Amino acid sequence: MVEINEHKARQALIKASKDTLGEMAFLDVMELEEAADFKVGQQLFIEFSHPIRGRMLLSFPLEIKQAIVENIHATDWESLSFDEIDDCLLELLNILAGNFLRELHEESVKVQLSFPRVLFSLDEIGDIENFYVYYFDAEGSPFSVSLSLKEEE
Amino acid sequence: MDLQKIMIVDDSATSRMIIKRCFQMAGYQDSTFLEAEDGLKAMSELNKTKVDIVVTDLNMPKMDGATFIKKLRLMDKTKELPVLVISSMGSDAMEKELTNSKVLGIIRKPMTPEKVVEVLGEG
């Protein structure tokens, strides 16, 4: 197993987060230098196996969840079903993970992702001690993306 | 391109909605859109309905996009049907393989109207 350059991973994640949330949900995203406190309203998880193996956990408060879904659907939160909301958030994570991996390696790299899923508890993904946690701000609200990476064996 | 009927194949309803909206914003607002959530359902629909283009994701359950395109090329009815791939998983090797399957292009997600115009021109 080869250690991933943490700086490169951070830069790739910043670019992917800004691009994905900006283009899909029209949200301006900034990196935060320090950890931010927020009440987690939603957690989503995806694994990848190529060009590196790893896991990504997206955690955000209720207000960002609502802003993402309303902006993408261009409609009020109340008019959407639970399935529509979950599908929207999972698609966002799917694209975020794909963009991150291409930023980390190269644009033309083949990317292999699992199907993303909604988490009801962190117990569902086992060990979370090896995650690096990166904090961002989306128009005044903090959220985090946690990453655990290792080179493909 | 003159696209009266556009079939969108993606397991995510959100993604299908975004793709449809991007086409409409790219000038294809008068087109009729058909949707399928995987390759199997799309094949079934294509047996009944003639469309002008298929826009498909790659990473789908039941029948993935690459298999779906291969099957399209084996059927007389659809062997020349224009296909556009929209995915978060593309690669150079995949692009080459898909180009051999007469795919118009690969658009990387997130989809935007500009990317539609870049590949297909304005509607």
Side-chain angles (χ1 to χ4, degrees):
Chain A
M1 191 180 89
V2 180
E3 198 172 324
I4 304 292
N5 180 325
E6 200 269 336
H7 174 73
K8 197 177 170 189
R10 180 185 174 89
Q11 293 307 312
L13 187 63
I14 291 168
K15 175 82 165 58
S17 300
K18 285 182 176 180
D19 288 355
T20 306
L21 272 85
E23 288 185 20
M24 278 189 81
F26 316 111
L27 292 174
D28 283 331
V29 169
M30 292 186 317
E31 59 182 308
L32 293 174
E33 295 296 331
E34 293 178 5
D37 256 349
F38 62 92
K39 188 178 177 191
V40 175
Q42 183 85 58
Q43 288 191 304
L44 307 158
F45 179 72
I46 195 168
E47 292 174 278
F48 32 87
S49 56
H50 193 84
I52 51 173
R53 290 175 56 217
R55 307 186 294 165
M56 179 182 282
L57 172 68
L58 178 58
S59 308
F60 41 67
L62 213 52
E63 62 264 26
I64 293 188
K65 174 180 176 176
Q66 185 166 346
I68 289 169
V69 173
E70 286 189 338
N71 288 357
I72 290 176
H73 276 271
T75 190
D76 288 339
W77 175 256
E78 289 80 12
S79 66
L80 297 165
S81 67
F82 289 123
D83 281 351
E84 285 173 318
I85 291 168
D86 282 354
D87 182 79
C88 181
L89 298 169
L90 293 172
E91 180 65 7
L92 179 97
L93 177 60
N94 191 48
I95 295 174
L96 173 63
N99 282 346
F100 164 70
L101 292 171
R102 267 193 297 274
E103 288 293 336
L104 188 59
H105 284 260
E106 52 185 277
E107 184 65 19
S108 60
V109 75
K110 181 185 176 189
V111 169
Q112 280 182 345
L113 304 167
S114 70
F115 288 104
R117 58 193 165 103
V118 173
L119 292 185
F120 297 96
S121 158
L122 284 179
D123 294 342
E124 294 173 52
I125 58 172
D127 175 28
I128 55 165
E129 285 179 6
N130 293 328
F131 276 108
Y132 280 101
V133 186
Y134 301 91
Y135 291 90
F136 296 92
D137 172 288
E139 304 192 4
S141 297
F143 70 97
S144 68
V145 184
S146 307
L147 281 173
S148 166
L149 304 174
K150 57 181 178 175
E151 295 283 354
E152 191 176 28
E153 287 164 3
Chain B
M1 271 180 99
D2 181 27
L3 303 175
Q4 292 180 22
K5 251 184 200 173
I6 298 171
M7 170 171 275
I8 301 170
V9 189
D10 197 309
D11 56 314
S12 163
T14 302
S15 185
R16 296 196 301 271
M17 179 199 68
I18 292 172
I19 293 167
K20 181 178 171 182
R21 188 192 300 158
C22 288
F23 267 84
Q24 288 169 330
M25 289 171 73
Y28 296 92
Q29 64 271 25
D30 295 329
S31 301
T32 301
F33 294 87
L34 285 80
E35 297 183 23
E37 60 193 51
D38 59 60
L40 271 182
K41 287 187 176 157
M43 291 298 296
S44 165
E45 188 63 36
L46 287 168
N47 274 322
K48 298 180 279 184
T49 314
K50 186 180 180 301
V51 302
D52 299 301
I53 189 171
V54 166
V55 183
T56 183
D57 186 21
L58 290 176
N59 192 24
M60 295 181 287
K62 292 183 186 171
M63 184 191 288
D64 64 55
T67 307
F68 168 53
I69 294 167
K70 279 180 194 158
K71 288 193 179 290
L72 284 182
R73 295 308 177 226
L74 293 173
M75 284 169 51
D76 277 348
K77 227 170 141 178
T78 55
K79 66 182 178 189
E80 299 295 334
L81 180 62
V83 174
L84 177 64
V85 171
I86 296 172
S87 181
S88 50
M89 299 179 66
S91 68
D92 278 356
M94 189 181 287
E95 200 153 342
K96 194 175 173 190
E97 185 187 329
L98 292 172
T99 305
N100 291 338
S101 299
K102 298 177 191 168
V103 163
L104 291 175
I106 300 178
I107 293 180
R108 299 242 164 87
K109 291 179 178 179
M111 180 80 159
T112 62
E114 292 77 20
K115 290 177 185 175
V116 176
V117 172
E118 199 176 306
V119 178
L120 299 176
E122 284 186 32

